[in-house]
Amino acid sequence: MNSDSDLQIAGDILEVPHLLQARREHPATVAEFVGLARSIAADRAQWEHLVEYDATTRWYHRLSTGPGYEVWLLSWVPGQGSGLHDHGPSSGVLTVLDGTLTERTERGTRALGAGAQRVFAPGYVHEVVNDTLEPAISLHVYFPGLTEMPMHTACARRTGSETVDAVTA
């Protein structure tokens, strides 16, 4: 009978670096991008001092980049909005850092308070607006990096007895 154990034959797996998965330096999955957004949101010292407010237009600042992605910081004074748009071939994670933003899609409207996150795929059409009386701050992670932001128009369409907003490019 052979008395060699698997450990004796193969060696200690912890001592065989080529068998271990290398720790990724940058996010590669949706869950990792969500985690990146959460970790940045939690580290206020990394972004809070950069925030500015502009009464004439939304303020934005590219916070960081990595292989195939970028992170943006945006501020929204009351009444400012993005307009109805999508993000072309990019997927993304939207995280509200401070205040409340309203997201409008063809499926409805939802208020996003501080800490709320939305994950979206390429072609996702939405509008983000600050409908409150207080400023708001948001963090946006795009992968791949944002190369286009096609704008859309909304038109009312009647179906039976109810009115539905339809989105058109």
Side-chain angles (χ1 to χ4, degrees):
M1 176 177 217
N2 189 349
S3 64
D4 291 334
S5 70
D6 289 341
L7 185 59
Q8 289 171 324
I9 295 169
D12 185 349
I13 193 165
L14 298 177
E15 295 296 324
V16 186
H18 69 279
L19 296 177
L20 297 177
Q21 244 188 3
R23 183 180 176 277
R24 282 195 280 249
E25 185 178 340
H26 298 285
T29 67
V30 172
E32 289 172 348
F33 281 108
V34 167
L36 171 66
R38 285 186 181 147
S39 68
I40 293 171
D43 185 6
R44 292 184 76 88
Q46 180 180 353
W47 54 266
E48 192 169 41
H49 66 283
L50 298 170
V51 176
E52 297 178 19
Y53 297 98
D54 187 331
T56 59
T57 186
R58 279 182 302 135
W59 173 88
Y60 52 91
H61 171 77
R62 187 164 53 190
L63 194 57
S64 65
T65 60
Y69 73 92
E70 56 189 11
V71 181
W72 290 86
L73 186 63
L74 282 77
S75 71
W76 313 71
V77 299
Q80 287 180 338
S82 65
L84 195 59
H85 68 283
D86 69 63
H87 302 94
S90 298
S91 294
V93 179
L94 159 66
T95 304
V96 178
L97 302 176
D98 272 333
T100 301
L101 293 172
T102 301
E103 181 188 39
R104 296 185 181 108
T105 68
E106 64 181 2
R107 293 183 153 191
T109 300
R110 74 179 57 171
L112 305 171
Q117 287 189 301
R118 297 288 295 138
V119 176
F120 51 87
Y124 179 74
V125 178
H126 69 157
E127 177 180 30
V128 180
V129 178
N130 181 351
D131 282 336
T132 71
L133 297 176
E134 300 295 325
I137 304 169
S138 59
L139 182 79
H140 304 249
V141 180
Y142 299 108
F143 48 97
L146 195 61
T147 57
E148 57 185 273
M149 197 171 115
M151 300 305 288
H152 296 258
T153 58
C155 62
R157 178 181 72 204
R158 278 192 115 19
T159 59
S161 62
E162 64 183 66
T163 300
V164 178
D165 283 334
V167 176
T168 60

